[in-house]
């Protein structure tokens, strides 16, 4: 389990102009009992934008289907092309050149988490064993962002820490707002 905690403080020498630093992709957010959104978290210099990407995924699926049909792929080839879009769920190239306001304007249901309200950030790995001899292993990760007004939780089917540590800008902004315990 990875835990980053501390008191929120603005990064030293931060500019007033907000800009996109990176994207944490392929997450799920339980909006209600029966509604799950696919989400990418856009990390900016001032906030986390939790952007539902269901419409982008649907558009990508339709494009993958059309491309596979144009290549004369059969049912399984088209299915594989569509599943690649669903499981990748990475819209970094879409969001990186955008301004935070343009992202929110494009997807009004975006959840905004101002970094100055961030109290703690935790990634918790879960392992589930199933099957007759517990031979089927499923791994998942829960990301918990605790703010002064509540907690937002996201599920990932792949290790999000590699995305965070792989982007020095994301890691720096989180470290600037939280102190490691």
């Amino acid at each position: 389990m990875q835990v980053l905690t501390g008191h929120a403080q603005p990064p030293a020498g931060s500019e007033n102009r907000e800009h996109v630093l990176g994207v944490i992709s392929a997450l799920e957010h339980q909006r209600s009992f029966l509604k799950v959104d696919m989400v990418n978290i856009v990390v900016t210099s001032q906030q986390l934008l939790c952007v539902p990407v269901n419409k982008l995924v649907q558009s990508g699926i339709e494009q993958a289907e059309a491309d596979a049909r144009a290549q004369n792929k059969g049912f399984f080839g088209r299915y594989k092309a569509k599943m690649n879009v669903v499981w990748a769920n990475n819209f970094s190239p879409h969001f990186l050149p955008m301004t935070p306001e343009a992202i929110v304007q494009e997807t009004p249901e975006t959840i905004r988490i101002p970094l100055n309200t961030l109290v703690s950030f935790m990634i918790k790995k879960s392992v589930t064993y199933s099957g007759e001899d517990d031979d089927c292993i499923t791994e998942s990760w829960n990301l918990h962002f605790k703010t002064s007004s509540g907690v937002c939780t996201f599920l990932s089917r792949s290790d999000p820490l590699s995305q965070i540590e792989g982007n020095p800008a994301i890691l720096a902004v989180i470290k600037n707002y939280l102190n490691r315990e």
Side-chain angles (χ1 to χ4, degrees):
M1 175 180 9
Q2 179 75 23
V3 180
L4 298 173
T5 60
H7 295 289
Q9 299 172 1
S14 66
E15 300 175 16
N16 289 335
R17 190 176 71 85
E18 183 179 17
H19 54 281
V20 173
L21 300 172
V23 178
I24 305 169
S25 61
L27 304 172
E28 298 172 18
H29 180 254
Q30 188 86 33
R31 191 174 3 155
S32 65
F33 181 67
L34 296 174
K35 180 66 176 161
V36 175
D37 283 331
M38 289 182 253
V39 174
N40 281 197
I41 297 177
V42 178
V43 180
T44 77
S45 53
Q46 297 176 12
Q47 62 186 324
L48 303 174
L49 299 173
C50 308
V51 186
V53 294
N54 298 352
K55 292 176 186 169
L56 290 171
V57 169
Q58 185 59 41
S59 175
I61 288 171
E62 291 167 3
Q63 184 63 50
E65 170 86 19
D67 292 347
R69 281 189 188 279
Q71 296 169 9
N72 294 320
K73 291 189 177 180
F75 172 80
F76 291 107
R78 292 191 311 269
Y79 181 78
K80 180 181 178 187
K82 293 189 293 188
M83 289 293 85
N84 285 340
V85 172
V86 171
W87 293 116
N89 185 348
N90 181 354
F91 295 95
S92 297
H94 179 77
F95 294 124
L96 287 173
M98 297 175 73
T99 65
E101 287 310 312
I103 293 168
V104 173
Q105 187 173 18
E106 179 181 86
T107 314
E109 57 273 13
T110 295
I111 299 169
R112 293 175 178 236
I113 302 174
L115 289 171
N116 64 0
T117 67
L118 203 55
V119 175
S120 68
F121 170 66
M122 178 176 61
I123 298 175
K124 184 177 180 184
K125 180 179 178 180
S126 298
V127 179
T128 305
Y129 300 94
S130 60
E132 196 170 299
D133 296 319
D134 286 340
D135 55 351
C136 185
I137 300 171
T138 306
E139 296 179 331
S140 63
W141 290 260
N142 285 302
L143 284 76
H144 302 278
F145 293 96
K146 183 177 179 185
T147 69
S148 53
S149 61
V151 176
C152 281
T153 301
F154 302 91
L155 175 72
S156 179
R157 307 286 178 189
S158 61
D159 187 0
L161 194 56
S162 61
Q163 291 183 60
I164 295 167
E165 291 179 336
N167 184 325
I170 292 176
L171 191 58
V173 77
I174 290 174
K175 281 184 176 181
N176 280 334
Y177 279 90
L178 301 173
N179 300 317
R180 260 187 214 268
E181 270 191 357

